Amino acid sequence: MKQAATAVAPSNIAFVKYWGVRDAALTLPYNESISMNLDACSTTTTVTFDSSLNTDEVAIQWYGQPARPTAGRPYERVVAQLDRVRVRAGIQARASVVSANNFPADAGIASSAAGFAALTLAAASAAGLQLAERELSILTRQSGSGSACRSIPDGFVHWLNDGTDAGSYAVSVAPAGQWPIVDIVAVVDTSIKRVTSADNHVRVTSSPYFGVRLQEVPDRIKQTLRAIRDRDLSTLGAVCEADAVSLHVVAMTAVPPTFYWNSGTMAVVHALHRWRDEGLMAYFTMDAGANVHVICADADKADVDQRLRELPEVQWTIVNGPARGAYLVDPL
Ligand code: PMV
């Protein structure tokens, strides 16, 4: 028996971020988050359940590189997610997983969001599961890459959270066409080391500022929902920057601390302040890394992109518009 399906899923950038896991087994976050799917950073994954296989096989291909078999912890995480799908579908067959990213491995873009969203949709479909979007988002969240659940719905996405497994899923708050804004990734660090978020999600409570962050987030969620509805870039920008700084303050004051930013990060932040003084509306946010995501209007993207590329600290950029969520395509 052979059953295959192929899915494409975008990466996403959070305006209000998920930082801290209350229940690591179920990947239940402490707080809600809001993101935008990214149209230039996606993963395409084919899952084939094949009863002639003795073991799961996983190969990942990065942009510009040949496909490589995956081993160790990344392999185990994929197998654990396949197991969740097998249990649900009542099947035993092992699977072959082939996954391709359209962005380079050293871009510092969280690939796990796109990767686990595409894996979950392809595996569920190949296993014959008919899941509603909410169920698919919950199953994707359970992969351990929480932010991946936000890559399932379309456009601008709200990860709801009532503290329960059934109440922690992502919904679209607006389609991709709602608002022509872009996220320009300014790459200032290409080291592959990647401090995994997993340890830091657990460590958050050791920071004295984590409680402060949790008190601030609900208001940021409200403001971000309003900003998306009203296409209010100055409000979105202020919230994005405040939330990113708060996440990094928590990381820097946790035990042990993590300092993600480097001098290139600060060079971009200072440049944005200078450009804003000149009237250019462009704002920063950073995930668990040094690279800066610059949010601005689509109409300003050529100008902002050129300015960013002229900074000596910026190695290259990736310009992303809003994107639809994960979808199935014909098997490769
Ligand atoms: O989903 P994870 O475990 O890769 O964690 C994502 C953490 C951030 O990217 C920093 C924030 C977010 O909400 O995407």
Side-chain angles (χ1 to χ4, degrees):
M1 158 294 233
K2 260 196 185 190
Q3 291 168 243
T6 299
V8 180
S11 188
N12 68 73
I13 181 67
F15 301 140
V16 179
K17 296 180 192 286
Y18 153 51
W19 198 240
V21 70
R22 188 195 294 274
D23 180 329
L26 288 170
T27 322
L28 293 178
Y30 279 96
N31 64 271
E32 300 191 352
S33 51
I34 300 183
S35 59
M36 178 180 102
N37 289 330
L38 303 179
D39 72 354
C41 297
S42 65
T43 303
T44 302
T45 300
T46 299
V47 175
T48 309
F49 287 105
D50 180 348
S51 48
S52 71
L53 291 173
N54 295 323
T55 178
D56 292 316
E57 293 170 359
V58 181
I60 297 180
Q61 178 180 20
W62 290 96
Y63 178 77
Q65 292 180 21
R68 292 209 174 84
T70 306
R73 183 77 193 114
Y75 173 81
E76 285 161 19
R77 288 185 63 192
V78 171
V79 172
Q81 188 65 349
L82 291 170
D83 284 341
R84 286 183 193 94
V85 170
R86 279 188 279 253
V87 166
R88 218 157 153 145
I91 61 170
Q92 259 95 50
R94 300 294 103 184
S96 144
V97 176
V98 180
S99 199
N101 295 294
N102 71 349
F103 51 102
D106 53 1
I109 313 280
S111 58
S112 60
F116 278 97
L119 172 72
T120 307
L121 176 55
S125 168
L129 290 173
Q130 308 257 321
L131 300 180
E133 184 180 272
R134 180 190 297 196
E135 297 308 311
L136 187 63
S137 163
I138 290 172
L139 186 58
T140 303
R141 188 203 80 230
Q142 291 169 343
S143 69
S145 177
S147 58
C149 78
R150 295 189 311 239
S151 290
I152 298 294
D154 283 338
F156 297 85
V157 176
H158 186 180
W159 178 2
L160 303 165
N161 175 46
D162 68 2
T164 68
D165 187 36
S168 183
Y169 58 92
V171 293
S172 177
V173 294
Q178 160 72 12
W179 195 9
I181 57 174
V182 294
D183 167 25
I184 306 179
V185 189
V187 177
V188 296
D189 178 16
T190 54
S191 58
I192 307 272
K193 57 176 170 12
R194 290 190 207 292
V195 184
T196 68
S197 309
D199 291 341
N200 273 315
H201 281 308
V202 175
R203 216 175 266 163
V204 284
T205 50
S206 64
S207 163
Y209 299 102
F210 184 58
V212 178
R213 171 170 170 74
L214 286 186
Q215 278 173 21
E216 293 168 346
V217 163
D219 186 53
R220 288 198 195 117
I221 294 279
K222 275 194 211 134
Q223 289 197 58
T224 303
L225 290 172
R226 264 204 303 270
I228 293 169
R229 189 195 62 198
D230 301 342
R231 304 183 185 179
D232 173 356
L233 187 54
S234 61
T235 298
L236 180 75
V239 170
C240 267
E241 294 193 349
D243 193 70
V245 170
S246 131
L247 181 157
H248 285 270
V249 164
V250 169
M252 286 188 271
T253 52
V255 184
T258 304
F259 296 84
Y260 288 108
W261 298 354
N262 67 16
S263 52
T265 315
M266 288 315 299
V268 176
V269 169
H270 288 308
L272 288 169
H273 285 164
R274 284 198 304 276
W275 301 341
R276 286 222 291 272
D277 288 345
E278 296 166 15
L280 186 62
M281 290 171 75
Y283 304 88
F284 67 79
T285 182
M286 308 87 170
D287 279 344
N291 296 324
V292 185
H293 292 250
V294 176
I295 312 294
C296 67
D298 186 80
D300 290 329
K301 74 181 173 198
D303 184 14
V304 174
D305 187 43
Q306 186 180 345
R307 287 172 186 241
L308 286 169
R309 282 191 280 116
E310 281 169 5
L311 294 175
E313 295 82 1
V314 174
Q315 303 181 23
W316 78 83
T317 58
I318 304 175
V319 182
N320 292 280
R324 65 185 288 195
Y327 57 97
L328 290 166
V329 292
D330 288 338
L332 298 173

